[in-house]
Amino acid sequence: MNKPTVVSGIRPTGYLHLGNYFGAVRNFIRMQDDFNCFFFIADIHSLTTHPTPGDLQSGVKQVLAEYLACGIDPEKSTIFIQSDVPEVTELYTFLNMNAYLGELERTTSFKDKARQQPENVNAGLLTYPVLMAADIIIHKAHFVPVGKDQEQNLEMARKFAKRFNRMYGKNIFPIPRPFTFDGKDMIKVPGLDGSGKMGKSEGNAINLYDDPREIRKKVMRAVTDSGPNEMNQEKPEAIQNLFTLMEIVSKPETAEHFNELYNKCEIRYGDMKKQLAEDIVSYTAPIRDRIIEILEDQDYLAKVAKMGAEKARESAAKTLNEVKNLIGFKKLF
Ligand code: ADP
Ligand code: TRP
């Protein structure tokens, strides 16, 4: 029984938010039975923004607990911490030899980060997509479940995999593809501040770990306008975002109900926000309870990380061996 392989990871830079959940983690959970899954915590990637050792450690623990609380099952999937698998940094070094300055500089995520942190435009930021490619291809992944914002990084991974195969004349790496259910587009969860996506660095995130009061407060603060004044009027971005979020977390008939009210110019945004907040709370409250419970169980967290590291290393070492042979490293002694 040969299941296709899946790899994905998230940087431990804070709490997981609804964008992370609906863009990535929910797909992880749905894939566990039918795919050979590797889900990890990208702690090496997070060093590009220079976390303190304390923040790094608590971030890793938080994301591990959140993965488990969301329903990633360590018996079905390999859950691991990136830095526990040193093979990946070795492959990253090899891939760097065939990654070119021009293409790395043109990546939007690099340009964005360089703009956000002009005082810290480090080489790790530049080669971020190379490390990401190593994460993916070291397990010979076929699919990568990520949100829309990772599309270009994934495109780079495909490019590096193809380049390596071509250079060494062997299809050692499958070409990884983005994964979405039903062939739908990669998802982008909007923020509630009027424009753009929900994100940690955007400061507009609703976290799985937020308590219900915090969630209600955040949703009630969402940007709206004075309301439509013509029947069936097109929605401005801020309003569309509210509807998009409702379509993601609420029952279809709830979103439809408010859509009808909008079209009839009878919508009251306050009512819509209250409903949206309650629907988010019912989604997140059980997850939040489990996060709290799991965070208290150090032994369990340690056990999961250890088991994941062993499984991931075994898979990574196998590929790395093949890679080194292809490159021409021979054992002389
Ligand atoms: P952030 O943008 O908050 O820093 P990350 O970049 O760490 O989040 O993203 C981790 C995962 O969550 C990636 O797969 C990413 O595509 C997904 N993701 C993050 N924000 C969103 C969003 N608003 N919509 C859809 N997916 C998202
Ligand atoms: N770049 C991803 C993000 O910011 C995290 C990541 C690192 C990743 N390596 C990966 C995602 C490999 C998927 C596969 O969200």
Side-chain angles (χ1 to χ4, degrees):
M1 187 185 54
N2 248 347
K3 295 177 182 174
T5 297
V6 172
V7 171
S8 194
I10 296 184
R11 284 169 300 132
T13 47
Y15 301 118
L16 292 191
H17 52 74
L18 296 181
N20 299 139
Y21 183 78
F22 289 103
V25 181
R26 188 175 55 164
N27 285 337
F28 300 179
I29 298 151
R30 290 171 166 181
M31 298 179 89
Q32 307 190 86
D33 289 319
D34 301 324
F35 298 84
N36 174 29
C37 294
F38 293 86
F39 300 126
F40 68 99
I41 300 165
D43 58 347
I44 306 180
H45 273 108
S46 76
L47 296 182
T48 51
T49 53
H50 296 177
T52 63
D55 285 348
L56 183 64
Q57 246 175 40
S58 61
V60 169
K61 195 173 140 194
Q62 182 73 26
V63 177
L64 181 57
E66 294 188 325
Y67 274 178
L68 296 165
C70 288
I72 305 182
D73 179 347
E75 299 296 332
K76 293 181 182 168
S77 302
T78 301
I79 309 175
F80 65 101
I81 300 165
Q82 189 183 31
S83 61
D84 280 342
V85 183
E87 288 79 3
V88 81
T89 50
E90 205 172 334
L91 180 59
Y92 162 65
T93 303
F94 301 149
L95 294 178
N96 266 330
M97 307 305 165
N98 308 307
Y100 295 96
L101 183 59
E103 61 190 350
L104 295 172
E105 275 177 338
R106 278 193 301 276
T107 318
T108 1
S109 55
F110 172 70
K111 289 194 279 189
D112 287 349
K113 267 283 181 305
R115 213 172 306 123
Q116 280 165 17
Q117 48 181 70
E119 72 300 340
N120 179 21
V121 186
N122 59 65
L125 274 183
L126 186 71
T127 57
Y128 185 109
V130 187
L131 180 57
M132 179 158 160
D135 290 328
I136 296 168
I137 68 179
I138 204 156
H139 301 295
K140 302 196 176 186
H142 302 92
F143 295 106
V144 185
V146 280
K148 181 114 187 105
D149 58 310
Q150 293 298 312
E151 203 168 15
Q152 198 184 19
N153 280 338
L154 189 52
E155 201 45 57
M156 302 286 280
R158 293 164 59 81
K159 194 192 264 191
F160 296 137
K162 282 184 201 160
R163 193 174 287 167
F164 194 95
N165 287 348
R166 195 166 6 90
M167 275 189 74
Y168 292 99
K170 188 171 176 205
N171 285 336
I172 167 169
F173 298 121
I175 309 307
R177 285 191 283 151
F179 182 90
T180 56
F181 277 92
D182 319 323
K184 288 199 181 123
D185 276 353
M186 294 165 91
I187 188 173
K188 181 183 112 177
V189 178
L192 289 179
D193 46 359
S195 68
K197 70 155 200 149
M198 181 177 290
K200 268 160 239 153
S201 35
E202 284 75 8
N204 61 3
I206 297 177
N207 302 316
L208 299 175
Y209 195 59
D210 287 342
D211 68 39
R213 229 177 17 170
E214 182 78 27
I215 291 176
R216 292 188 184 106
K217 210 165 77 192
K218 286 182 178 175
V219 175
M220 295 317 282
R221 276 203 311 252
V223 173
T224 52
D225 58 16
S226 53
N229 41 32
E230 270 174 49
M231 303 281 272
N232 303 314
Q233 195 177 314
E234 200 183 319
K235 299 183 183 81
E237 190 179 1
I239 304 305
Q240 181 54 51
N241 286 351
L242 214 53
F243 275 93
T244 303
L245 205 57
M246 191 169 243
E247 280 155 22
I248 294 171
V249 296
S250 307
K251 293 204 190 85
E253 54 269 30
T254 310
E256 191 42 46
H257 167 70
F258 285 100
N259 199 31
E260 273 167 27
L261 291 176
Y262 182 90
N263 285 336
K264 289 191 288 188
C265 300
E266 287 169 13
I267 189 149
R268 296 200 328 210
Y269 291 131
D271 294 346
M272 181 176 180
K273 286 178 181 178
K274 266 191 205 135
Q275 180 68 47
L276 178 61
E278 290 323 303
D279 290 343
I280 294 176
V281 168
S282 21
Y283 217 107
T284 55
I287 301 180
R288 174 184 148 79
D289 291 345
R290 282 197 298 273
I291 300 173
I292 294 170
E293 206 178 298
I294 294 171
L295 273 176
E296 279 170 11
D297 196 345
Q298 287 289 338
D299 292 346
Y300 178 59
L301 288 169
K303 200 177 104 195
V304 168
K306 184 162 176 277
M307 186 167 96
E310 280 165 11
K311 287 200 276 176
R313 281 200 78 170
E314 191 187 322
S315 154
K318 217 165 118 200
T319 309
L320 190 64
N321 233 338
E322 286 179 56
V323 164
K324 289 172 87 168
N325 270 324
L326 276 179
I327 292 178
F329 291 118
K330 296 275 181 269
K331 283 223 172 348
L332 293 179
F333 306 103

